[in-house]
Each structure stands twice: as structure tokens, then as C-alpha cells.
């Protein structure tokens, strides 16, 4: 098993603002635009798969996915499978939703599925812990923060910015 560098991860806490973080304005956030379609590979967040399955993804996102190498995380698979588990078998919509999720996961080429390593998992736990404390996240919010931090750091490790 790979070794986890506790001290290197712990150094991240020196950036702890010790107060609640405010949402940045849209002008300060990076958004996909038609002029940025070409570029490095992608690691998709679970919401992208959901938006695509519900035919709600913006055209610029569909174009981006069509043009770039798309990688997948076991975190997204885990979140999609959690959805399968919480669906009520008695609901008439469940079979259709499960079929779409199955199709989505089966379309992921095995060589493009990545598992987060110990450094990503350990640092994501630290980062999400900071977020949960600063933002006052409760129960479900804590798990979502952890999963989002894992995806963020995994994408960064795979070459994202």
C-alpha cells in the first residue's frame, strides 16, 4: 500500500481562513465557452452525467465532451450506484432511471476509469473537513463535500487546473 504523507497534507491547513467562505461572483468563476472547446482531458462530476441523462446539459458542455478525452472517476460511479440503491422499486419511473444509469456506466471505457489514490483521498478528507467546519455543513452536506473534494483533487492530479 502506498504511504500517505500526513505532514505534507497537514501543511494545507495553513491556508485556513478560519471564517465562512463567501460565494464568488460569476465574473470571478471559470465557465466553459465555445472558444475553449479544445484542450486537455476531462474528469466529469456526477452532475454532468445526470444532466446528460435528463437531456438538460447545455450545448457548449455537450460540444466540450464530444471534443475532449473524457475520463471517469470511481467516485462518480459510486454516486450513480447510490442513486440506484435509493430508488424505490415500487415507483414506476425506477426501471427507466436504472436503465439509463446502467447505460451511462457501461459506456465508460475501463481504461478511462480512474481510482483516487491515498494522497487524493487523504487530502480530500482534510480539505472537506475544513469546508465542513467553515461552512457549517451537516450530515448529507459532509458526504457531498468529501466526494466533491475527491473529484476536485483527482482531476487536479490527472492534469486539470
Amino acid at each position: 500500500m502506498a504511504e500517505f504523507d500526513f505532514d505534507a497534507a497537514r501543511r494545507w491547513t495553513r491556508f485556513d481562513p478560519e471564517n465562512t467562505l463567501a460565494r464568488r461572483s460569476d465574473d470571478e468563476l471559470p465557465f466553459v465557452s465555445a472558444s475553449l472547446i479544445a484542450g486537455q482531458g476531462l474528469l466529469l462530476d456526477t452532475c454532468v452525467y445526470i444532466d446528460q441523462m435528463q437531456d438538460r446539459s447545455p450545448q457548449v458542455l455537450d460540444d466540450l465532451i464530444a471534443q475532449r478525452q473524457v475520463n471517469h472517476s470511481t467516485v462518480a460511479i459510486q454516486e450513480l450506484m447510490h442513486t440506484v440503491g435509493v430508488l424505490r422499486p415500487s415507483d414506476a419511473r425506477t426501471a427507466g432511471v436504472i436503465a439509463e444509469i446502467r447505460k451511462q456506466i457501461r459506456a465508460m471505457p475501463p481504461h478511462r476509469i480512474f481510482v483516487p489514490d491515498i494522497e487524493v483521498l487523504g487530502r480530500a478528507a482534510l480539505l472537506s473537513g475544513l469546508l465542513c467546519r467553515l461552512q457549517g455543513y451537516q450530515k448529507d452536506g459532509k458526504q457531498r463535500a468529501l466526494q466533491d473534494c475527491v473529484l476536485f483533487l483527482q482531476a487536479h492530479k490527472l492534469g486539470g487546473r
Side-chain angles (χ1 to χ4, degrees):
M1 181 169 162
E3 184 177 344
F4 175 67
D5 190 341
F6 179 89
D7 295 324
R10 178 78 169 83
R11 283 192 289 273
W12 281 19
T13 61
R14 71 177 184 254
F15 301 113
D16 183 353
E18 296 188 19
N19 56 12
T20 303
L21 304 172
R23 186 189 185 284
R24 293 182 288 169
S25 70
D26 284 356
D27 314 2
E28 300 176 77
L29 297 172
F31 286 96
V32 176
S33 70
S35 64
L36 299 174
I37 295 298
Q40 62 199 43
L42 304 171
L43 185 68
L44 302 181
D45 186 79
T46 308
C47 68
V48 174
Y49 299 106
I50 293 168
D51 285 349
Q52 285 188 320
M53 286 185 281
Q54 294 177 342
D55 203 25
R56 293 186 316 181
S57 55
Q59 186 59 50
V60 68
L61 179 60
D62 293 340
D63 293 344
L64 180 74
I65 290 169
Q67 294 298 317
R68 298 224 195 152
Q69 175 180 304
V70 177
N71 299 307
H72 309 278
S73 175
T74 55
V75 172
I77 294 171
Q78 181 183 35
E79 290 180 332
L80 291 168
M81 291 307 296
H82 178 265
T83 300
V84 171
V86 299
L87 293 171
R88 295 185 187 280
S90 59
D91 189 314
R93 300 169 294 179
T94 294
V97 173
I98 290 174
E100 283 300 312
I101 292 172
R102 180 179 188 272
K103 184 169 82 173
Q104 188 71 250
I105 291 173
R106 291 194 67 178
M108 297 175 183
H111 68 283
R112 292 279 173 236
I113 298 173
F114 292 89
V115 179
D117 64 22
I118 188 67
E119 281 295 316
V120 167
L121 293 171
R123 289 173 186 256
L126 177 70
L127 183 58
S128 70
L130 287 168
L131 280 172
C132 289
R133 178 172 46 81
L134 294 173
Q135 301 303 102
Y137 292 159
Q138 300 299 314
K139 299 179 184 179
D140 288 348
K142 290 179 180 181
Q143 185 65 31
R144 283 193 301 271
L146 177 59
Q147 301 290 55
D148 286 347
C149 287
V150 171
L151 278 172
F152 170 74
L153 294 175
Q154 189 178 23
H156 186 266
K157 187 166 190 161
L158 291 172
R161 294 182 203 175

